[in-house]
Amino acid sequence: MLLIATALAGGWTLDEVEHIEVSQDCGSLRVESWPAESLHLETEGMVTQNKGRVVVTPRGCGETRVRLPEGVELRAQTQSADVLVLGLEKASVGTISGDITVRATQDAQLSSVSGDIDLSVGGGTATLMTVSGDVRVKGPTTGLTVQTTTGTVVFNGRADGPVALTSHSGDLLVTLAPDAPVTVTATSSSGDVRLAPMEASDDASTLTLFTFSGDAVVETRSP
């Protein structure tokens, strides 16, 4: 087990670290922010540092744990490993079959082939892509883009920016906070599209809903 309790132990200062890269085949990856101005790694494998980046390559299928200041960007790629991210400002995560769970992240770029994505966005923007995995998003966002082939997409939160959801055969289910004008585009070839609730007199909101063979429903309520 390799343990680096502080960035200084590797011969470099934390100010020089712009992002951390993790490439893991299986097992699990947990990355979380903490108040200390140091980097804490628990893994079996290799760690290198070069020009503002720390590269972590775990060995085997154990759990990799990372703690770092919230301003350090995470870039992670896994095969079947599940990924949990807590409290970072920016995270980019891609998996083949692993599930991705992200909490309170300002800027998220997440993708999975067959794994599910569960995102609690912290007020920023997010771009999510899956092939067959389901996508769940909640919280306030200034911009959300989701693309999936067969997965179901569920968004529940406040949108202070454009929301664009696309699925080939999955359902698109959107529940919006009623106190902000929004621009929502939801497209599904054969799935259902449902948007709720919208104020009946909200002229500032722009809605574009399309489905080829499914139902498209907008639920409204009186202001």
Side-chain angles (χ1 to χ4, degrees), residues 69-85:
E70 64 179 8
V72 177
E73 178 186 352
L74 169 68
R75 301 178 185 178
Q77 293 287 332
T78 80
Q79 296 290 323
S80 59
D82 294 334
V83 181
L84 173 63
V85 181

Side-chain angles (χ1 to χ4, degrees), residues 29 34 37 43 47 49 58 61 64-65 76 93 107 121 124-125 142 147 150 153 161 165 168 193 196 205 213-214:
L29 169 63
W34 69 341
E37 290 298 319
T43 186
V47 179
Q49 184 270 337
C61 293
T64 297
R65 298 176 65 93
V93 181
D107 185 349
V121 66
T125 61
T142 56
Q147 294 182 341
T150 61
V153 179
L165 311 177
H168 178 70
V193 179
S205 296
S213 61

Side-chain angles (χ1 to χ4, degrees), residues 80-180:
S80 59
D82 294 334
V83 181
L84 173 63
V85 181
L86 304 173
L88 299 185
E89 291 182 0
K90 188 172 184 179
S92 299
V93 181
T95 75
I96 301 298
S97 59
D99 295 334
I100 303 173
T101 303
V102 178
R103 295 287 179 263
T105 295
Q106 296 293 319
D107 185 349
Q109 309 288 323
L110 311 176
S111 64
S112 180
V113 176
S114 60
D116 295 337
I117 297 177
D118 188 345
L119 169 65
S120 175
V121 66
T125 61
T127 301
L128 286 63
M129 299 180 63
T130 73
V131 176
S132 60
D134 294 334
V135 176
R136 295 176 297 275
V137 183
K138 63 180 179 180
T141 177
T142 56
L144 174 64
T145 301
V146 180
Q147 294 182 341
T148 182
T149 302
T150 61
T152 296
V153 179
V154 178
F155 171 58
N156 187 336
R158 176 186 174 93
D160 293 311
V163 174
L165 311 177
T166 304
S167 179
H168 178 70
S169 60
D171 295 335
L172 305 177
L173 310 174
V174 181
T175 303
L176 295 169
D179 56 347

Side-chain angles (χ1 to χ4, degrees), residues 1-2 20-31 41-48 54-66 74-79 81-83:
M1 175 69 70
L2 172 64
I20 182 170
E21 300 178 12
V22 183
S23 179
Q24 184 164 342
D25 289 336
C26 51
S28 63
L29 169 63
R30 179 187 177 101
V31 183
L41 303 176
E42 295 181 25
T43 186
E44 292 184 358
M46 182 174 62
V47 179
T48 61
V54 176
V55 180
V56 182
T57 308
R59 182 179 63 250
C61 293
E63 181 184 42
T64 297
R65 298 176 65 93
V66 183
L74 169 68
R75 301 178 185 178
Q77 293 287 332
T78 80
Q79 296 290 323
D82 294 334
V83 181

Side-chain angles (χ1 to χ4, degrees), residues 182-208:
V182 295
T183 299
V184 176
T185 302
T187 303
S188 180
S189 296
S190 59
D192 294 338
V193 179
R194 182 177 296 274
L195 177 64
M198 293 296 300
E199 299 289 355
S201 62
D202 192 353
D203 297 330
S205 296
T206 301
L207 308 178
T208 303

